[in-house]
Amino acid sequence: MSTLSPETAHQPADRPLLDAEVDAVVVGAGFGGLYAVHRLRERGLSIVGFEAAPDVGGTWYWNRYPGVRCDVPSLLYSYTWTDDVRREWRWSEKYATQAEILRYIGFVADRYGLREPFRFETRIVEAAFDEADGMWTVRSDRGDRVRARFCIMATGCLSVPNTPTIPGLESFGGPVYHTGRWPHEPVDFSGLRVGVIGTGSSGIQAIPLIAEAAKRLTVFQRTPNYSMPSRNRPLTEADHVEFEAAWETYLLSLDGPTFGRVPPTAHTAPVPPREEQWQRYEALWQEGGGAILYAYPNILTNHGVNDVACEFVRQKIRETVADPKTAAALSPTDYPLGVKRICIDSRYFETFNRPNVELVNLREEPIARVTADGVETDARRFELDALVLATGFDAVTGALLAMDIRGRDGVTLKQAWAEGPRTYLGLGVAGFPNLFMVTGPGSPSVIGNVIHNCEHHVDWLVACIDHMRDRNLHTVEPDPAAEEGWVHHVGEVAGRTLFPEANSWYLGVNIPGKPRVFMPYVGEGYRHRCAEVAADGYRGFRFDDAPAAA
Ligand code: N01
């Protein structure tokens, strides 16, 4: 169906350096960046895009590990802005593989010519705001230099892989793969002794397939995860027709005042009887997917509900895994369900019944070191031919802070965020005029459907740019007081839920030294609130009609 291949977009290393002035720079050619290009171009803005990968796709370009799929149903994991593509594209399975998602992104990019403004294989290393003329100067690792009025950072929430510091890792004699930077050529594990470190969404998807291929698989688990079966299946034409019939209703629901992960009724909802809950969870287990997070409005706020859901999943693990000690090690007991991203699997727990798979519980025997021929824990030695790091990402802020971004008075984003990310609505940062983030910290971002969250931010920022152009305004940035209020609100809303009870990447705790701050917005009515801010003259944002010294 699509023409996507890395070669389509790859640009030769000797392409001429760019030294240009444009209206907007877009960083990142994932779902958010591509849509930003589409919308900004539609408004007549001149644009240059930069993307570190050789082609479009963002996180889906890099995450190619065995078993990788989206954990959102594919019919929903699609753009809402193109009716043409929605009616034409046919997803083949309930949960699409990475390869199919990448084909979809390529299909949209081809249809709308979205690759055209991008410089591929080019990473932005610096963006500096010049107060004299109110322009950003953006530099790439190749030496490109672009001056732009607007900077759109569509750099993704899960785009910087986290490689933990494990003593001796560099001395390992075999190949080491990170799930978030998987090779493009097939990796053949047949006949090999493979170790996987990490049991988050990536590990849980990869482990069953690696187990099928490898001679022996050793899974090194520090924290067990709640995982629901996907019950993946082929999609039929009837599924597409049914989806299309419900489309308008779904779209309308996104903008409503109650749309959000934790609904307004959460804190007053009753705790249903245990037996009723159990039956509901059983039905959702049979149905498959992550709908358990929506089983009750208070499942993410009330232990009386959440504890039953946890016990239900533990019971399923005990029923599935033959060895009671392994089942116990695979069962989360010290944090609520859904407050780390819930995992969706295909025969994950069943995999531990295979004779060639062993679970190593790092809580009992931590990894001491990696050696040339394997991994040593405090108790044992495991000889390995290949190692897979399914160790996640420096999430939400990682890609933004990897660039040297300097706003007013030369203040860097790193300095501004030294105590944790500070934004207004997750869209802008005080002191960084005309810099917009697509799904920045303080917005729903990774909670829910990230494609739709990207679209919402792009639509909002394009409307804001329209507002500025109509009034001849030159810069926009959050008012520090509004930003302070929003940061407080994001933390306060999270604090009324069970989310802070787990050491999750939502809180940044997987990265040593990262401030422990809950980054996504989990409250209700986020879009509604953004619309109100805009309708009220962009309440909480400051506009300047001319550069300071111009
Ligand atoms: O990463 P993770 P992920 N020694 O951070 C372990 C999205 N995603 O790539 O929990 C030993 O969740 C770490 O252990 P612990 C999705 O949003 C989506 O799996 O820190 N272990 C954990 O088990 C997801 O949530 C899809 O104790 C170490 C694992 O590595 C997000 O990406 C698919 C360690 C990391 O888990 C991230 O998922 C894949 C160490 N030193 C990903 N350091 C779909 O759409 C880390 N770990 C399906």
Side-chain angles (χ1 to χ4, degrees), residues 78-359:
S78 311
Y79 279 129
T80 66
W81 61 268
T82 157
D83 289 341
D84 287 350
V85 170
R86 191 183 73 254
R87 292 192 184 118
E88 188 174 338
W89 182 265
R90 285 293 175 264
W91 291 106
S92 65
E93 294 177 272
K94 182 176 167 194
Y95 294 102
T97 60
Q98 170 269 345
E100 191 170 16
I101 296 169
L102 200 55
R103 281 200 297 279
Y104 171 84
I105 301 173
F107 183 76
V108 177
D110 286 345
R111 168 67 61 91
Y112 293 93
L114 301 180
R115 288 189 178 89
E116 185 266 322
F118 278 98
R119 300 294 187 272
F120 290 96
E121 292 188 278
T122 309
R123 189 176 285 282
I124 293 307
V125 290
E126 185 188 303
F129 182 70
D130 184 346
E131 293 190 59
D133 59 6
M135 297 286 281
W136 285 91
T137 300
V138 175
R139 294 176 198 274
S140 80
D141 58 353
R142 288 178 180 275
D144 303 290
R145 174 181 171 277
V146 178
R147 281 166 46 78
R149 203 168 137 203
F150 296 102
C151 263
I152 317 296
M153 295 300 184
T155 44
C157 290
L158 295 163
S159 49
V160 178
N162 166 40
T163 298
T165 309
I166 302 176
L169 184 58
E170 64 298 335
S171 70
F172 185 64
V176 179
Y177 305 102
H178 194 294
T179 46
R181 284 289 180 275
W182 202 260
H184 285 213
E185 56 280 3
V187 175
D188 184 6
F189 287 121
S190 51
L192 301 184
R193 299 161 301 177
V194 182
V196 173
I197 300 178
T199 51
S201 295
S202 303
I204 280 178
Q205 288 187 330
I207 283 162
L209 277 98
I210 297 176
E212 281 173 18
K215 179 173 155 201
R216 185 142 196 89
L217 172 62
T218 310
V219 176
F220 297 93
Q221 173 197 271
R222 196 163 61 184
T223 309
N225 254 301
Y226 298 99
S227 187
M228 300 289 285
S230 69
R231 314 267 182 230
N232 191 32
R233 61 171 175 84
L235 287 179
T236 62
E237 190 54 27
D239 290 318
H240 284 88
V241 170
E242 188 187 330
F243 179 73
E244 190 61 29
W247 179 245
E248 291 300 329
T249 314
Y250 171 71
L251 268 193
L252 284 174
S253 75
L254 293 178
D255 289 322
T258 60
F259 186 81
R261 175 47 57 88
V262 178
T265 49
H267 298 281
T268 50
V271 175
R274 182 186 165 85
E275 184 55 28
E276 182 195 315
Q277 286 189 53
W278 203 269
Q279 282 172 15
R280 177 112 186 85
Y281 301 142
E282 179 63 37
L284 291 167
W285 183 270
Q286 296 311 330
E287 184 183 311
I292 194 166
L293 297 181
Y294 302 92
Y296 295 101
N298 47 0
I299 192 164
L300 296 174
T301 56
N302 190 312
H303 274 293
V305 180
N306 196 288
D307 289 355
V308 181
C310 295
E311 183 44 35
F312 173 83
V313 175
R314 286 193 289 266
Q315 172 68 22
K316 287 294 179 191
I317 297 171
R318 282 193 292 274
E319 285 169 13
T320 309
V321 179
D323 173 43
K325 189 162 180 267
T326 305
L330 286 167
S331 300
T333 51
D334 55 0
Y335 66 93
L337 175 145
V339 301
K340 280 177 171 235
R341 173 96 173 191
I342 196 151
C343 301
I344 311 294
D345 72 88
S346 296
R347 300 186 61 75
Y348 173 65
F349 295 117
E350 290 85 341
T351 296
F352 292 90
N353 295 332
R354 295 178 64 103
N356 68 332
V357 175
E358 180 178 10
L359 181 73

